[in-house]
Amino acid sequence: MSERTAALMSYLLGQAIDSRFAFAKVLPCIKTWWSVEMDQLLSEQVQMQDAIVSAAFDKAWRFVEKDPLLAHNRKTVLYSRLCTFLESSIKKGEQNTLNLANEAIRSLRAELAPSTAQ
């Protein structure tokens, strides 16, 4: 909790006690503040994840678009599946862009590369 946030909460609680306001009048302010703080935190996390996925996609795509094992696939399919694999890995907690890119490439190859078994 930031100093500004702690000061605001302290002020609101102090007002409720010192002014003999009903706590019920201050509680909605605290809930609104908490909601705004949580929305900002979640927004920052989403922006950070988007930046990580974007960087991982760029790394992976440079490889995928030149990969001879994937050349027979349409670019739109490669693009879409690569995005899906990256999003899946980041939801599992991976934050390293190189690991994300490599895992997505492995998954893409496993799914779309022609089988070499005869």
Side-chain angles (χ1 to χ4, degrees):
M1 179 181 308
S2 71
E3 286 182 37
R4 182 181 66 117
T5 300
L8 177 61
M9 284 186 66
S10 176
Y11 171 77
L12 289 174
L13 290 172
Q15 287 295 315
I17 294 167
D18 292 345
S19 302
R20 303 199 192 298
F21 281 118
F23 188 71
K25 292 191 182 237
V26 176
L27 190 57
C29 294
I30 293 172
K31 285 182 180 179
T32 300
W33 161 83
W34 181 256
S35 177
V36 168
E37 287 286 319
M38 292 307 294
D39 287 347
Q40 288 174 346
L41 179 62
L42 292 173
S43 175
E44 289 169 8
Q45 287 177 334
V46 167
Q47 289 173 354
M48 185 176 74
Q49 284 185 344
D50 287 348
I52 292 169
V53 168
S54 179
F57 181 88
D58 290 343
K59 286 180 183 194
W61 187 252
R62 284 193 300 270
F63 178 85
V64 167
E65 67 182 346
K66 294 178 176 81
D67 186 357
L69 292 176
L70 298 171
H72 69 284
N73 293 286
R74 292 187 3 225
K75 284 192 176 192
T76 55
V77 172
L78 294 172
Y79 188 95
S80 173
R81 297 305 296 149
L82 187 61
C83 287
T84 300
F85 290 131
L86 287 168
E87 289 170 0
S88 174
S89 291
I90 204 159
K91 285 179 184 174
K92 293 176 186 173
E94 182 60 63
Q95 297 288 310
N96 182 293
T97 56
L98 186 58
N99 291 345
L100 282 165
N102 287 338
E103 183 58 36
I105 291 167
R106 276 192 289 278
S107 298
L108 198 60
R109 279 181 148 195
E111 182 179 297
L112 299 176
S115 175
T116 57
Q118 295 180 8

